[in-house]
PDB file of all heavy atoms in Angstrom:
ATOM      1  N   ARG A 333      65.459  90.454-106.385  1.00 90.00           N
ATOM      2  CA  ARG A 333      66.596  89.846-105.678  1.00 90.00           C
ATOM      3  C   ARG A 333      67.882  89.997-106.495  1.00 90.00           C
ATOM      4  O   ARG A 333      67.883  89.808-107.710  1.00 90.00           O
ATOM      5  CB  ARG A 333      66.322  88.380-105.379  1.00 90.00           C
ATOM      6  CG  ARG A 333      65.124  88.202-104.444  1.00 90.00           C
ATOM      7  CD  ARG A 333      65.052  86.807-103.855  1.00 90.00           C
ATOM      8  NE  ARG A 333      64.010  86.711-102.843  1.00 90.00           N
ATOM      9  CZ  ARG A 333      64.152  87.057-101.581  1.00 90.00           C
ATOM     10  NH1 ARG A 333      65.316  87.515-101.160  1.00 90.00           N
ATOM     11  NH2 ARG A 333      63.149  86.952-100.715  1.00 90.00           N
ATOM     12  N   HIS A 334      68.973  90.311-105.784  1.00 90.00           N
ATOM     13  CA  HIS A 334      70.265  90.538-106.423  1.00 90.00           C
ATOM     14  C   HIS A 334      71.352  89.805-105.636  1.00 90.00           C
ATOM     15  O   HIS A 334      71.322  89.791-104.400  1.00 90.00           O
ATOM     16  CB  HIS A 334      70.593  92.042-106.464  1.00 90.00           C
ATOM     17  CG  HIS A 334      69.587  92.873-107.193  1.00 90.00           C
ATOM     18  ND1 HIS A 334      69.754  93.292-108.495  1.00 90.00           N
ATOM     19  CD2 HIS A 334      68.376  93.353-106.792  1.00 90.00           C
ATOM     20  CE1 HIS A 334      68.716  94.015-108.867  1.00 90.00           C
ATOM     21  NE2 HIS A 334      67.851  94.067-107.846  1.00 90.00           N
ATOM     22  N   LYS A 335      72.293  89.224-106.354  1.00 88.00           N
ATOM     23  CA  LYS A 335      73.444  88.581-105.730  1.00 88.00           C
ATOM     24  C   LYS A 335      74.604  89.561-105.716  1.00 88.00           C
ATOM     25  O   LYS A 335      75.108  89.951-106.756  1.00 88.00           O
ATOM     26  CB  LYS A 335      73.816  87.297-106.477  1.00 88.00           C
ATOM     27  CG  LYS A 335      72.856  86.150-106.215  1.00 88.00           C
ATOM     28  CD  LYS A 335      73.380  84.850-106.800  1.00 88.00           C
ATOM     29  CE  LYS A 335      72.459  83.683-106.447  1.00 88.00           C
ATOM     30  NZ  LYS A 335      72.965  82.401-106.971  1.00 88.00           N
ATOM     31  N   VAL A 336      75.006  89.948-104.507  1.00 86.00           N
ATOM     32  CA  VAL A 336      76.047  90.964-104.334  1.00 86.00           C
ATOM     33  C   VAL A 336      77.346  90.281-103.907  1.00 86.00           C
ATOM     34  O   VAL A 336      77.337  89.381-103.054  1.00 86.00           O
ATOM     35  CB  VAL A 336      75.618  92.010-103.279  1.00 86.00           C
ATOM     36  CG1 VAL A 336      76.700  93.070-103.105  1.00 86.00           C
ATOM     37  CG2 VAL A 336      74.301  92.654-103.693  1.00 86.00           C
ATOM     38  N   ASP A 337      78.459  90.715-104.517  1.00 84.00           N
ATOM     39  CA  ASP A 337      79.776  90.158-104.222  1.00 84.00           C
ATOM     40  C   ASP A 337      80.380  90.890-103.029  1.00 84.00           C
ATOM     41  O   ASP A 337      80.745  92.065-103.117  1.00 84.00           O
ATOM     42  CB  ASP A 337      80.675  90.315-105.455  1.00 84.00           C
ATOM     43  CG  ASP A 337      82.071  89.728-105.215  1.00 84.00           C
ATOM     44  OD1 ASP A 337      82.261  89.076-104.167  1.00 84.00           O
ATOM     45  OD2 ASP A 337      82.953  89.921-106.078  1.00 84.00           O
ATOM     46  N   PHE A 338      80.493  90.185-101.894  1.00 85.00           N
ATOM     47  CA  PHE A 338      81.170  90.710-100.717  1.00 85.00           C
ATOM     48  C   PHE A 338      82.540  90.035-100.593  1.00 85.00           C
ATOM     49  O   PHE A 338      82.721  89.097 -99.827  1.00 85.00           O
ATOM     50  CB  PHE A 338      80.340  90.461 -99.448  1.00 85.00           C
ATOM     51  CG  PHE A 338      79.052  91.229 -99.407  1.00 85.00           C
ATOM     52  CD1 PHE A 338      77.862  90.613 -99.750  1.00 85.00           C
ATOM     53  CD2 PHE A 338      79.034  92.571 -99.044  1.00 85.00           C
ATOM     54  CE1 PHE A 338      76.670  91.319 -99.705  1.00 85.00           C
ATOM     55  CE2 PHE A 338      77.842  93.278 -99.004  1.00 85.00           C
ATOM     56  CZ  PHE A 338      76.659  92.654 -99.351  1.00 85.00           C
ATOM     57  N   ASN A 339      83.480  90.522-101.439  1.00 85.00           N
ATOM     58  CA  ASN A 339      84.845  89.950-101.456  1.00 85.00           C
ATOM     59  C   ASN A 339      84.801  88.437-101.666  1.00 85.00           C
ATOM     60  O   ASN A 339      85.211  87.639-100.808  1.00 85.00           O
ATOM     61  CB  ASN A 339      85.593  90.303-100.159  1.00 85.00           C
ATOM     62  CG  ASN A 339      85.937  91.773-100.092  1.00 85.00           C
ATOM     63  OD1 ASN A 339      86.134  92.428-101.125  1.00 85.00           O
ATOM     64  ND2 ASN A 339      86.000  92.314 -98.881  1.00 85.00           N
ATOM     65  N   ASN A 340      84.257  88.062-102.855  1.00 83.00           N
ATOM     66  CA  ASN A 340      84.165  86.667-103.301  1.00 83.00           C
ATOM     67  C   ASN A 340      83.165  85.829-102.497  1.00 83.00           C
ATOM     68  O   ASN A 340      83.144  84.608-102.630  1.00 83.00           O
ATOM     69  CB  ASN A 340      85.542  85.995-103.277  1.00 83.00           C
ATOM     70  CG  ASN A 340      86.525  86.676-104.222  1.00 83.00           C
ATOM     71  OD1 ASN A 340      86.135  87.129-105.321  1.00 83.00           O
ATOM     72  ND2 ASN A 340      87.785  86.766-103.813  1.00 83.00           N
ATOM     73  N   VAL A 341      82.385  86.456-101.673  1.00 84.00           N
ATOM     74  CA  VAL A 341      81.283  85.766-100.984  1.00 84.00           C
ATOM     75  C   VAL A 341      79.991  86.395-101.483  1.00 84.00           C
ATOM     76  O   VAL A 341      79.694  87.555-101.199  1.00 84.00           O
ATOM     77  CB  VAL A 341      81.393  85.909 -99.454  1.00 84.00           C
ATOM     78  CG1 VAL A 341      80.202  85.242 -98.773  1.00 84.00           C
ATOM     79  CG2 VAL A 341      82.695  85.297 -98.955  1.00 84.00           C
ATOM     80  N   TYR A 342      79.230  85.615-102.269  1.00 86.00           N
ATOM     81  CA  TYR A 342      78.020  86.137-102.886  1.00 86.00           C
ATOM     82  C   TYR A 342      76.813  85.907-101.957  1.00 86.00           C
ATOM     83  O   TYR A 342      76.571  84.784-101.491  1.00 86.00           O
ATOM     84  CB  TYR A 342      77.773  85.466-104.238  1.00 86.00           C
ATOM     85  CG  TYR A 342      78.757  85.911-105.295  1.00 86.00           C
ATOM     86  CD1 TYR A 342      79.987  85.256-105.438  1.00 86.00           C
ATOM     87  CD2 TYR A 342      78.479  86.993-106.117  1.00 86.00           C
ATOM     88  CE1 TYR A 342      80.908  85.666-106.383  1.00 86.00           C
ATOM     89  CE2 TYR A 342      79.392  87.410-107.079  1.00 86.00           C
ATOM     90  CZ  TYR A 342      80.606  86.748-107.203  1.00 86.00           C
ATOM     91  OH  TYR A 342      81.502  87.155-108.148  1.00 86.00           O
ATOM     92  N   GLU A 343      76.118  86.995-101.715  1.00 87.00           N
ATOM     93  CA  GLU A 343      74.918  86.914-100.870  1.00 87.00           C
ATOM     94  C   GLU A 343      73.750  87.570-101.591  1.00 87.00           C
ATOM     95  O   GLU A 343      73.933  88.567-102.305  1.00 87.00           O
ATOM     96  CB  GLU A 343      75.156  87.615 -99.523  1.00 87.00           C
ATOM     97  CG  GLU A 343      76.188  86.920 -98.661  1.00 87.00           C
ATOM     98  CD  GLU A 343      76.308  87.585 -97.295  1.00 87.00           C
ATOM     99  OE1 GLU A 343      75.488  88.470 -97.010  1.00 87.00           O
ATOM    100  OE2 GLU A 343      77.222  87.213 -96.544  1.00 87.00           O
ATOM    101  N   GLU A 344      72.582  87.011-101.391  1.00 89.00           N
ATOM    102  CA  GLU A 344      71.382  87.522-102.049  1.00 89.00           C
ATOM    103  C   GLU A 344      70.704  88.563-101.163  1.00 89.00           C
ATOM    104  O   GLU A 344      70.447  88.325 -99.988  1.00 89.00           O
ATOM    105  CB  GLU A 344      70.415  86.376-102.340  1.00 89.00           C
ATOM    106  CG  GLU A 344      69.260  86.787-103.251  1.00 89.00           C
ATOM    107  CD  GLU A 344      68.365  85.609-103.601  1.00 89.00           C
ATOM    108  OE1 GLU A 344      67.580  85.209-102.728  1.00 89.00           O
ATOM    109  OE2 GLU A 344      68.471  85.100-104.737  1.00 89.00           O
ATOM    110  N   VAL A 345      70.433  89.747-101.744  1.00 89.00           N
ATOM    111  CA  VAL A 345      69.717  90.805-101.029  1.00 89.00           C
ATOM    112  C   VAL A 345      68.438  91.116-101.802  1.00 89.00           C
ATOM    113  O   VAL A 345      68.323  90.813-102.992  1.00 89.00           O
ATOM    114  CB  VAL A 345      70.576  92.073-100.878  1.00 89.00           C
ATOM    115  CG1 VAL A 345      71.839  91.774-100.101  1.00 89.00           C
ATOM    116  CG2 VAL A 345      70.919  92.671-102.241  1.00 89.00           C
TER     117      VAL A 345
END
Side-chain angles (χ1 to χ4, degrees):
R333 297 195 173 276
H334 301 261
K335 286 189 176 182
V336 180
D337 181 8
F338 293 99
N339 290 331
N340 298 323
V341 177
Y342 288 87
E343 294 185 8
E344 191 176 76
V345 300

